[in-house]
Amino acid sequence: MQARVWSASLVGIDAVKVGVEIDVSGGLPGIVVVGLPDPAVQESRERVKAALKNAGYAFPLRKIVINLAPADLRKEGPSFDLPISVGILAASEQVSAQLLGDYLFLGEVSLNGDLRPVAGVLPIAAAARHLGIAGLVIPESNVREAAVVEGLAVYGFKTLSAVTEFLNKPERYQPVQLDSRQELQQSQFTGPDLQDVKGQAHARRALEIAATGGHNLIFAGAPGSGKTMLARRLPGILPPLGFAEALEVTQIHSVAGLLKERGSLVSDRPFRSPHHSASGPSLVGGGSFPRPGEISLAHRGVLFLDELTEFKRDVLEFLRQPLEDGWVTIARSRQSVKFPAQFTLVASTNPCPCGYYGDSVQTCTCSPRQREQYWAKLSGPLMDRIDLQVAVNRLKPEEITRQPQGETSESVRQRVISGRERAWHRLKAESVVCNAAMQSRHLRQWCKLDDASQSLLEGAIRQLGLSARASDRVLKVARTIADLAGDDTLKTHHVAEAIQYRTIDRMQ
């Protein structure tokens, strides 16, 4: 007897429909799995055999051939356990095969027949809807994730026995209903608040500009000046995720296996903070089966690199292409996959190896040569891509003890939202979401300068040695400053403030 069950495999964050074909025929008892399975899929033979026996089903003592089609696509992970189990039961006539062509099956099966959650259910559910699949049969723990996709019937079960009951008597079951849009609207940010930060008005202003325009930001200052504290409060002033953005973010986290046993949509903008010992592949993604790295997990959110100069230079160079394009491409001999990586980079660093160059209290012990070598870890092209470069000074004693609480994140967020809306209405025809993503043609149209502003920018280019890319980013920051002020045209003071944020391009 033969049976075919539909499942799916992931290529990057895209899903490919996979047919699990089962043939039960005469011959010596045994199970053969073909179709480029990885070790986890090969091991499903033993899991499925034990699960069917322990769940009370008769395991066919015949030759069983399992083909995963298309045969030239690598298959990985334990998600094929459930379709293989259902296929064997259908081929041995222990379960009705009537619905197998309408549904897609995913799930890991434990030895006692329980279903365990798997990664990547959301992108597979989205692909299933576009492929005309009627519904999805998955472990109960993955239901809230898959139910985000509208127009797809999702059924979640705890055990293999419950799945077979559904296939034999589907009229007894109803698909899961979930209003993800309403849940997203009702979610509230619970991260750290900007009002906890004392003083640092200049740095707070830079955070507001970065949030409004999507600009990359670096803080440089002595230890204990508040660089990390400031950076961790950026997500709280960013606009809330829209439904489409939340869906993108959730798909990436689903592929990375970070959604098991949790809610449906990711409601907060991601904040990723890898350690400075992180490798290049962990940052950009990789592996024999490519998986998203930290920069993709920060998509639509913040990537925070604390102690930037402690990262290896070759690791930091991996950031250049994603910062420019918003995508990271991972090429392998068999395939090439793309992961989205539109994030705001926030970094912090000490001004020198000892950390006290320019400090008002403690004297720096570093030589000019040591400071030069310290900053040489950051290449010119990388620094060009960081729009806002802010020196964070040590707080004065009276600021520490007497400074009242600052403005709340919520009030700053409202200004950020207003500024972003102005940019969106201006750029929506170009499918550009924020000022940092503007191209040269947008700058020519929306960042025109008068004579005074032009002279000011030319002087800054000469004195600071700015490249063409860095000067364009000055214009983008000036455009954001104008949006926060509610101005349609760039004025001299907008450009002057933007230039101030390029003054530590080479702190030595």
mmCIF file of all heavy atoms in Angstrom, residues 111-160:
data_model
loop_
_atom_site.group_PDB
_atom_site.id
_atom_site.type_symbol
_atom_site.label_atom_id
_atom_site.label_comp_id
_atom_site.label_asym_id
_atom_site.label_seq_id
_atom_site.Cartn_x
_atom_site.Cartn_y
_atom_site.Cartn_z
ATOM 1 N N LEU A 111 8.552 9.276 22.155
ATOM 2 C CA LEU A 111 8.450 7.814 22.146
ATOM 3 C C LEU A 111 7.122 7.301 22.677
ATOM 4 O O LEU A 111 6.729 6.173 22.376
ATOM 5 C CB LEU A 111 9.608 7.211 22.966
ATOM 6 C CG LEU A 111 11.021 7.502 22.446
ATOM 7 C CD1 LEU A 111 12.047 6.765 23.285
ATOM 8 C CD2 LEU A 111 11.158 7.122 20.981
ATOM 9 N N ASN A 112 6.420 8.100 23.472
ATOM 10 C CA ASN A 112 5.114 7.651 23.979
ATOM 11 C C ASN A 112 3.949 8.180 23.143
ATOM 12 O O ASN A 112 2.794 8.010 23.519
ATOM 13 C CB ASN A 112 4.935 8.064 25.437
ATOM 14 C CG ASN A 112 4.921 9.570 25.614
ATOM 15 O OD1 ASN A 112 5.149 10.319 24.656
ATOM 16 N ND2 ASN A 112 4.669 10.015 26.833
ATOM 17 N N GLY A 113 4.253 8.853 22.021
ATOM 18 C CA GLY A 113 3.191 9.332 21.138
ATOM 19 C C GLY A 113 2.774 10.764 21.359
ATOM 20 O O GLY A 113 1.866 11.244 20.666
ATOM 21 N N ASP A 114 3.391 11.472 22.291
ATOM 22 C CA ASP A 114 3.078 12.885 22.478
ATOM 23 C C ASP A 114 3.723 13.709 21.358
ATOM 24 O O ASP A 114 4.753 13.335 20.805
ATOM 25 C CB ASP A 114 3.606 13.383 23.825
ATOM 26 C CG ASP A 114 2.841 12.773 24.999
ATOM 27 O OD1 ASP A 114 1.717 12.291 24.779
ATOM 28 O OD2 ASP A 114 3.396 12.763 26.124
ATOM 29 N N LEU A 115 3.092 14.861 21.062
ATOM 30 C CA LEU A 115 3.614 15.751 20.033
ATOM 31 C C LEU A 115 4.372 16.900 20.679
ATOM 32 O O LEU A 115 3.873 17.529 21.616
ATOM 33 C CB LEU A 115 2.469 16.304 19.167
ATOM 34 C CG LEU A 115 1.627 15.264 18.416
ATOM 35 C CD1 LEU A 115 0.642 15.970 17.482
ATOM 36 C CD2 LEU A 115 2.509 14.312 17.626
ATOM 37 N N ARG A 116 5.547 17.178 20.166
ATOM 38 C CA ARG A 116 6.386 18.248 20.689
ATOM 39 C C ARG A 116 6.487 19.374 19.666
ATOM 40 O O ARG A 116 6.452 19.124 18.460
ATOM 41 C CB ARG A 116 7.785 17.714 21.008
ATOM 42 C CG ARG A 116 7.800 16.726 22.167
ATOM 43 C CD ARG A 116 9.175 16.106 22.322
ATOM 44 N NE ARG A 116 9.247 15.244 23.497
ATOM 45 C CZ ARG A 116 10.228 14.385 23.737
ATOM 46 N NH1 ARG A 116 11.225 14.284 22.861
ATOM 47 N NH2 ARG A 116 10.239 13.648 24.812
ATOM 48 N N PRO A 117 6.649 20.620 20.127
ATOM 49 C CA PRO A 117 6.717 21.757 19.197
ATOM 50 C C PRO A 117 7.984 21.720 18.360
ATOM 51 O O PRO A 117 9.014 21.170 18.764
ATOM 52 C CB PRO A 117 6.694 22.973 20.128
ATOM 53 C CG PRO A 117 7.223 22.468 21.436
ATOM 54 C CD PRO A 117 6.750 21.049 21.543
ATOM 55 N N VAL A 118 7.903 22.342 17.184
ATOM 56 C CA VAL A 118 9.036 22.432 16.274
ATOM 57 C C VAL A 118 9.227 23.883 15.846
ATOM 58 O O VAL A 118 8.344 24.731 16.045
ATOM 59 C CB VAL A 118 8.826 21.539 15.026
ATOM 60 C CG1 VAL A 118 8.841 20.078 15.414
ATOM 61 C CG2 VAL A 118 7.533 21.896 14.310
ATOM 62 N N ALA A 119 10.372 24.172 15.263
ATOM 63 C CA ALA A 119 10.682 25.533 14.828
ATOM 64 C C ALA A 119 10.198 25.764 13.396
ATOM 65 O O ALA A 119 10.045 24.827 12.612
ATOM 66 C CB ALA A 119 12.195 25.766 14.901
ATOM 67 N N GLY A 120 9.951 27.031 13.076
ATOM 68 C CA GLY A 120 9.627 27.418 11.707
ATOM 69 C C GLY A 120 8.198 27.204 11.284
ATOM 70 O O GLY A 120 7.893 27.197 10.082
ATOM 71 N N VAL A 121 7.264 27.094 12.233
ATOM 72 C CA VAL A 121 5.869 26.822 11.880
ATOM 73 C C VAL A 121 5.217 28.022 11.187
ATOM 74 O O VAL A 121 4.453 27.864 10.232
ATOM 75 C CB VAL A 121 5.068 26.423 13.136
ATOM 76 C CG1 VAL A 121 3.571 26.388 12.849
ATOM 77 C CG2 VAL A 121 5.529 25.060 13.640
ATOM 78 N N LEU A 122 5.522 29.243 11.639
ATOM 79 C CA LEU A 122 4.858 30.418 11.069
ATOM 80 C C LEU A 122 5.163 30.611 9.581
ATOM 81 O O LEU A 122 4.234 30.779 8.780
ATOM 82 C CB LEU A 122 5.228 31.667 11.867
ATOM 83 C CG LEU A 122 4.625 32.977 11.357
ATOM 84 C CD1 LEU A 122 3.116 32.882 11.250
ATOM 85 C CD2 LEU A 122 5.019 34.142 12.249
ATOM 86 N N PRO A 123 6.425 30.623 9.131
ATOM 87 C CA PRO A 123 6.643 30.761 7.684
ATOM 88 C C PRO A 123 6.059 29.608 6.883
ATOM 89 O O PRO A 123 5.622 29.804 5.746
ATOM 90 C CB PRO A 123 8.175 30.814 7.556
ATOM 91 C CG PRO A 123 8.717 30.291 8.838
ATOM 92 C CD PRO A 123 7.696 30.619 9.877
ATOM 93 N N ILE A 124 6.023 28.421 7.466
ATOM 94 C CA ILE A 124 5.401 27.286 6.773
ATOM 95 C C ILE A 124 3.902 27.496 6.657
ATOM 96 O O ILE A 124 3.292 27.226 5.618
ATOM 97 C CB ILE A 124 5.732 25.973 7.503
ATOM 98 C CG1 ILE A 124 7.217 25.633 7.331
ATOM 99 C CG2 ILE A 124 4.859 24.827 6.990
ATOM 100 C CD1 ILE A 124 7.677 24.425 8.118
ATOM 101 N N ALA A 125 3.279 28.022 7.714
ATOM 102 C CA ALA A 125 1.844 28.303 7.660
ATOM 103 C C ALA A 125 1.536 29.361 6.606
ATOM 104 O O ALA A 125 0.552 29.246 5.863
ATOM 105 C CB ALA A 125 1.359 28.759 9.030
ATOM 106 N N ALA A 126 2.371 30.402 6.533
ATOM 107 C CA ALA A 126 2.157 31.446 5.526
ATOM 108 C C ALA A 126 2.294 30.871 4.117
ATOM 109 O O ALA A 126 1.508 31.210 3.220
ATOM 110 C CB ALA A 126 3.162 32.579 5.747
ATOM 111 N N ALA A 127 3.277 29.994 3.913
ATOM 112 C CA ALA A 127 3.449 29.376 2.595
ATOM 113 C C ALA A 127 2.292 28.444 2.264
ATOM 114 O O ALA A 127 1.844 28.372 1.114
ATOM 115 C CB ALA A 127 4.780 28.614 2.559
ATOM 116 N N ALA A 128 1.789 27.731 3.265
ATOM 117 C CA ALA A 128 0.679 26.800 3.043
ATOM 118 C C ALA A 128 -0.559 27.529 2.545
ATOM 119 O O ALA A 128 -1.276 27.037 1.662
ATOM 120 C CB ALA A 128 0.372 26.044 4.333
ATOM 121 N N ARG A 129 -0.821 28.709 3.095
ATOM 122 C CA ARG A 129 -1.988 29.475 2.640
ATOM 123 C C ARG A 129 -1.844 29.851 1.172
ATOM 124 O O ARG A 129 -2.803 29.737 0.390
ATOM 125 C CB ARG A 129 -2.147 30.726 3.492
ATOM 126 C CG ARG A 129 -3.396 31.543 3.156
ATOM 127 C CD ARG A 129 -3.375 32.883 3.847
ATOM 128 N NE ARG A 129 -2.208 33.674 3.434
ATOM 129 C CZ ARG A 129 -1.948 34.898 3.884
ATOM 130 N NH1 ARG A 129 -2.745 35.450 4.779
ATOM 131 N NH2 ARG A 129 -0.890 35.544 3.457
ATOM 132 N N HIS A 130 -0.666 30.279 0.764
ATOM 133 C CA HIS A 130 -0.451 30.679 -0.632
ATOM 134 C C HIS A 130 -0.484 29.476 -1.580
ATOM 135 O O HIS A 130 -0.799 29.631 -2.767
ATOM 136 C CB HIS A 130 0.881 31.408 -0.770
ATOM 137 C CG HIS A 130 0.908 32.752 -0.104
ATOM 138 N ND1 HIS A 130 0.073 33.791 -0.487
ATOM 139 C CD2 HIS A 130 1.642 33.233 0.919
ATOM 140 C CE1 HIS A 130 0.307 34.849 0.268
ATOM 141 N NE2 HIS A 130 1.248 34.540 1.146
ATOM 142 N N LEU A 131 -0.165 28.290 -1.064
ATOM 143 C CA LEU A 131 -0.167 27.088 -1.900
ATOM 144 C C LEU A 131 -1.546 26.448 -2.008
ATOM 145 O O LEU A 131 -1.704 25.429 -2.686
ATOM 146 C CB LEU A 131 0.826 26.066 -1.336
ATOM 147 C CG LEU A 131 2.307 26.443 -1.440
ATOM 148 C CD1 LEU A 131 3.168 25.461 -0.661
ATOM 149 C CD2 LEU A 131 2.748 26.491 -2.899
ATOM 150 N N GLY A 132 -2.524 27.017 -1.332
ATOM 151 C CA GLY A 132 -3.885 26.480 -1.408
ATOM 152 C C GLY A 132 -4.155 25.331 -0.471
ATOM 153 O O GLY A 132 -5.157 24.616 -0.636
ATOM 154 N N ILE A 133 -3.297 25.120 0.535
ATOM 155 C CA ILE A 133 -3.531 24.082 1.541
ATOM 156 C C ILE A 133 -4.705 24.512 2.433
ATOM 157 O O ILE A 133 -4.782 25.663 2.870
ATOM 158 C CB ILE A 133 -2.278 23.860 2.394
ATOM 159 C CG1 ILE A 133 -1.129 23.341 1.521
ATOM 160 C CG2 ILE A 133 -2.546 22.904 3.540
ATOM 161 C CD1 ILE A 133 -1.337 21.964 0.963
ATOM 162 N N ALA A 134 -5.611 23.581 2.715
ATOM 163 C CA ALA A 134 -6.804 23.919 3.500
ATOM 164 C C ALA A 134 -6.476 24.171 4.960
ATOM 165 O O ALA A 134 -7.093 25.034 5.601
ATOM 166 C CB ALA A 134 -7.844 22.807 3.378
ATOM 167 N N GLY A 135 -5.534 23.430 5.511
ATOM 168 C CA GLY A 135 -5.268 23.574 6.933
ATOM 169 C C GLY A 135 -3.942 22.985 7.343
ATOM 170 O O GLY A 135 -3.227 22.350 6.546
ATOM 171 N N LEU A 136 -3.638 23.174 8.614
ATOM 172 C CA LEU A 136 -2.363 22.757 9.187
ATOM 173 C C LEU A 136 -2.658 21.893 10.404
ATOM 174 O O LEU A 136 -3.493 22.254 11.252
ATOM 175 C CB LEU A 136 -1.560 23.990 9.601
ATOM 176 C CG LEU A 136 -0.035 23.936 9.564
ATOM 177 C CD1 LEU A 136 0.447 23.688 8.148
ATOM 178 C CD2 LEU A 136 0.537 25.251 10.066
ATOM 179 N N VAL A 137 -1.987 20.745 10.516
ATOM 180 C CA VAL A 137 -2.109 19.864 11.673
ATOM 181 C C VAL A 137 -0.748 19.850 12.364
ATOM 182 O O VAL A 137 0.242 19.365 11.805
ATOM 183 C CB VAL A 137 -2.529 18.444 11.267
ATOM 184 C CG1 VAL A 137 -2.591 17.543 12.492
ATOM 185 C CG2 VAL A 137 -3.868 18.476 10.552
ATOM 186 N N ILE A 138 -0.711 20.386 13.589
ATOM 187 C CA ILE A 138 0.564 20.633 14.271
ATOM 188 C C ILE A 138 0.430 20.329 15.762
ATOM 189 O O ILE A 138 -0.678 20.143 16.270
ATOM 190 C CB ILE A 138 1.007 22.099 14.082
ATOM 191 C CG1 ILE A 138 -0.113 23.042 14.546
ATOM 192 C CG2 ILE A 138 1.376 22.378 12.633
ATOM 193 C CD1 ILE A 138 0.258 24.504 14.462
ATOM 194 N N PRO A 139 1.540 20.306 16.493
ATOM 195 C CA PRO A 139 1.464 20.168 17.955
ATOM 196 C C PRO A 139 0.722 21.351 18.575
ATOM 197 O O PRO A 139 0.769 22.480 18.075
ATOM 198 C CB PRO A 139 2.940 20.152 18.384
ATOM 199 C CG PRO A 139 3.679 19.680 17.191
ATOM 200 C CD PRO A 139 2.943 20.236 16.013
ATOM 201 N N GLU A 140 0.045 21.101 19.674
ATOM 202 C CA GLU A 140 -0.754 22.139 20.324
ATOM 203 C C GLU A 140 0.099 23.340 20.742
ATOM 204 O O GLU A 140 -0.372 24.486 20.714
ATOM 205 C CB GLU A 140 -1.458 21.544 21.547
ATOM 206 C CG GLU A 140 -2.479 22.460 22.171
ATOM 207 C CD GLU A 140 -3.210 21.785 23.321
ATOM 208 O OE1 GLU A 140 -2.532 21.424 24.307
ATOM 209 O OE2 GLU A 140 -4.432 21.609 23.225
ATOM 210 N N SER A 141 1.351 23.121 21.091
ATOM 211 C CA SER A 141 2.224 24.210 21.533
ATOM 212 C C SER A 141 2.549 25.194 20.421
ATOM 213 O O SER A 141 2.973 26.316 20.689
ATOM 214 C CB SER A 141 3.528 23.637 22.106
ATOM 215 O OG SER A 141 3.276 22.816 23.219
ATOM 216 N N ASN A 142 2.377 24.782 19.166
ATOM 217 C CA ASN A 142 2.652 25.663 18.028
ATOM 218 C C ASN A 142 1.415 26.366 17.490
ATOM 219 O O ASN A 142 1.507 27.143 16.529
ATOM 220 C CB ASN A 142 3.285 24.877 16.878
ATOM 221 C CG ASN A 142 4.715 24.479 17.136
ATOM 222 O OD1 ASN A 142 5.058 23.303 17.085
ATOM 223 N ND2 ASN A 142 5.568 25.456 17.411
ATOM 224 N N VAL A 143 0.255 26.131 18.113
ATOM 225 C CA VAL A 143 -1.006 26.608 17.541
ATOM 226 C C VAL A 143 -1.072 28.123 17.472
ATOM 227 O O VAL A 143 -1.446 28.707 16.449
ATOM 228 C CB VAL A 143 -2.199 26.037 18.335
ATOM 229 C CG1 VAL A 143 -3.464 26.836 18.057
ATOM 230 C CG2 VAL A 143 -2.434 24.589 17.955
ATOM 231 N N ARG A 144 -0.715 28.794 18.559
ATOM 232 C CA ARG A 144 -0.844 30.257 18.575
ATOM 233 C C ARG A 144 0.072 30.912 17.543
ATOM 234 O O ARG A 144 -0.250 31.969 16.996
ATOM 235 C CB ARG A 144 -0.526 30.786 19.976
ATOM 236 C CG ARG A 144 -1.576 30.434 21.013
ATOM 237 C CD ARG A 144 -1.209 30.977 22.384
ATOM 238 N NE ARG A 144 -1.076 32.435 22.375
ATOM 239 C CZ ARG A 144 -2.092 33.287 22.444
ATOM 240 N NH1 ARG A 144 -3.332 32.826 22.503
ATOM 241 N NH2 ARG A 144 -1.892 34.573 22.453
ATOM 242 N N GLU A 145 1.188 30.288 17.294
ATOM 243 C CA GLU A 145 2.110 30.803 16.274
ATOM 244 C C GLU A 145 1.505 30.671 14.886
ATOM 245 O O GLU A 145 1.516 31.629 14.097
ATOM 246 C CB GLU A 145 3.414 30.025 16.377
ATOM 247 C CG GLU A 145 4.442 30.377 15.328
ATOM 248 C CD GLU A 145 5.670 29.486 15.425
ATOM 249 O OE1 GLU A 145 5.828 28.783 16.447
ATOM 250 O OE2 GLU A 145 6.465 29.494 14.470
ATOM 251 N N ALA A 146 0.968 29.507 14.550
ATOM 252 C CA ALA A 146 0.434 29.274 13.208
ATOM 253 C C ALA A 146 -0.876 30.009 12.969
ATOM 254 O O ALA A 146 -1.179 30.406 11.842
ATOM 255 C CB ALA A 146 0.240 27.778 12.990
ATOM 256 N N ALA A 147 -1.676 30.192 14.026
ATOM 257 C CA ALA A 147 -2.989 30.827 13.876
ATOM 258 C C ALA A 147 -2.892 32.299 13.523
ATOM 259 O O ALA A 147 -3.900 32.932 13.212
ATOM 260 C CB ALA A 147 -3.802 30.643 15.158
ATOM 261 N N VAL A 148 -1.696 32.869 13.556
ATOM 262 C CA VAL A 148 -1.501 34.256 13.133
ATOM 263 C C VAL A 148 -1.864 34.430 11.662
ATOM 264 O O VAL A 148 -2.359 35.474 11.247
ATOM 265 C CB VAL A 148 -0.032 34.671 13.376
ATOM 266 C CG1 VAL A 148 0.293 35.982 12.696
ATOM 267 C CG2 VAL A 148 0.247 34.758 14.866
ATOM 268 N N VAL A 149 -1.628 33.388 10.855
ATOM 269 C CA VAL A 149 -1.904 33.450 9.422
ATOM 270 C C VAL A 149 -3.408 33.392 9.190
ATOM 271 O O VAL A 149 -4.085 32.448 9.597
ATOM 272 C CB VAL A 149 -1.196 32.293 8.691
ATOM 273 C CG1 VAL A 149 -1.502 32.337 7.198
ATOM 274 C CG2 VAL A 149 0.307 32.373 8.928
ATOM 275 N N GLU A 150 -3.914 34.413 8.531
ATOM 276 C CA GLU A 150 -5.352 34.492 8.286
ATOM 277 C C GLU A 150 -5.732 33.644 7.073
ATOM 278 O O GLU A 150 -4.982 33.531 6.114
ATOM 279 C CB GLU A 150 -5.753 35.957 8.070
ATOM 280 C CG GLU A 150 -5.468 36.832 9.278
ATOM 281 C CD GLU A 150 -5.642 38.314 8.973
ATOM 282 O OE1 GLU A 150 -5.617 38.663 7.769
ATOM 283 O OE2 GLU A 150 -5.788 39.107 9.905
ATOM 284 N N GLY A 151 -6.913 33.048 7.128
ATOM 285 C CA GLY A 151 -7.407 32.254 6.010
ATOM 286 C C GLY A 151 -6.896 30.835 5.981
ATOM 287 O O GLY A 151 -6.984 30.169 4.943
ATOM 288 N N LEU A 152 -6.349 30.354 7.089
ATOM 289 C CA LEU A 152 -5.819 28.993 7.159
ATOM 290 C C LEU A 152 -6.395 28.297 8.393
ATOM 291 O O LEU A 152 -6.331 28.836 9.501
ATOM 292 C CB LEU A 152 -4.295 29.020 7.228
ATOM 293 C CG LEU A 152 -3.574 27.671 7.262
ATOM 294 C CD1 LEU A 152 -3.661 27.000 5.888
ATOM 295 C CD2 LEU A 152 -2.109 27.849 7.654
ATOM 296 N N ALA A 153 -6.967 27.113 8.208
ATOM 297 C CA ALA A 153 -7.499 26.339 9.326
ATOM 298 C C ALA A 153 -6.349 25.651 10.054
ATOM 299 O O ALA A 153 -5.601 24.893 9.453
ATOM 300 C CB ALA A 153 -8.509 25.309 8.830
ATOM 301 N N VAL A 154 -6.236 25.924 11.346
ATOM 302 C CA VAL A 154 -5.138 25.375 12.141
ATOM 303 C C VAL A 154 -5.698 24.467 13.229
ATOM 304 O O VAL A 154 -6.568 24.881 13.999
ATOM 305 C CB VAL A 154 -4.295 26.503 12.773
ATOM 306 C CG1 VAL A 154 -3.200 25.923 13.653
ATOM 307 C CG2 VAL A 154 -3.696 27.398 11.694
ATOM 308 N N TYR A 155 -5.193 23.245 13.282
ATOM 309 C CA TYR A 155 -5.613 22.278 14.286
ATOM 310 C C TYR A 155 -4.386 21.867 15.108
ATOM 311 O O TYR A 155 -3.364 21.459 14.545
ATOM 312 C CB TYR A 155 -6.228 21.032 13.633
ATOM 313 C CG TYR A 155 -7.487 21.306 12.849
ATOM 314 C CD1 TYR A 155 -7.425 21.692 11.515
ATOM 315 C CD2 TYR A 155 -8.742 21.188 13.446
ATOM 316 C CE1 TYR A 155 -8.576 21.944 10.784
ATOM 317 C CE2 TYR A 155 -9.905 21.432 12.717
ATOM 318 C CZ TYR A 155 -9.813 21.812 11.397
ATOM 319 O OH TYR A 155 -10.954 22.072 10.677
ATOM 320 N N GLY A 156 -4.506 21.960 16.408
ATOM 321 C CA GLY A 156 -3.414 21.590 17.286
ATOM 322 C C GLY A 156 -3.770 20.408 18.169
ATOM 323 O O GLY A 156 -4.886 20.363 18.714
ATOM 324 N N PHE A 157 -2.854 19.461 18.324
ATOM 325 C CA PHE A 157 -3.119 18.252 19.101
ATOM 326 C C PHE A 157 -1.939 17.948 20.017
ATOM 327 O O PHE A 157 -0.794 18.305 19.728
ATOM 328 C CB PHE A 157 -3.372 17.061 18.170
ATOM 329 C CG PHE A 157 -4.532 17.268 17.239
ATOM 330 C CD1 PHE A 157 -4.327 17.691 15.931
ATOM 331 C CD2 PHE A 157 -5.834 17.085 17.682
ATOM 332 C CE1 PHE A 157 -5.393 17.883 15.071
ATOM 333 C CE2 PHE A 157 -6.919 17.281 16.826
ATOM 334 C CZ PHE A 157 -6.695 17.688 15.516
ATOM 335 N N LYS A 158 -2.247 17.277 21.123
ATOM 336 C CA LYS A 158 -1.220 16.914 22.093
ATOM 337 C C LYS A 158 -0.589 15.568 21.806
ATOM 338 O O LYS A 158 0.565 15.337 22.166
ATOM 339 C CB LYS A 158 -1.813 16.899 23.505
ATOM 340 C CG LYS A 158 -2.182 18.278 24.048
ATOM 341 C CD LYS A 158 -2.667 18.162 25.488
ATOM 342 C CE LYS A 158 -2.963 19.541 26.073
ATOM 343 N NZ LYS A 158 -3.430 19.452 27.481
ATOM 344 N N THR A 159 -1.359 14.663 21.177
ATOM 345 C CA THR A 159 -0.875 13.300 20.980
ATOM 346 C C THR A 159 -1.127 12.825 19.559
ATOM 347 O O THR A 159 -1.972 13.369 18.830
ATOM 348 C CB THR A 159 -1.557 12.322 21.948
ATOM 349 O OG1 THR A 159 -2.965 12.277 21.646
ATOM 350 C CG2 THR A 159 -1.363 12.762 23.389
ATOM 351 N N LEU A 160 -0.407 11.800 19.180
ATOM 352 C CA LEU A 160 -0.611 11.169 17.878
ATOM 353 C C LEU A 160 -1.998 10.543 17.783
ATOM 354 O O LEU A 160 -2.637 10.569 16.716
ATOM 355 C CB LEU A 160 0.484 10.119 17.658
ATOM 356 C CG LEU A 160 0.494 9.377 16.331
ATOM 357 C CD1 LEU A 160 0.640 10.350 15.170
ATOM 358 C CD2 LEU A 160 1.631 8.343 16.312
#
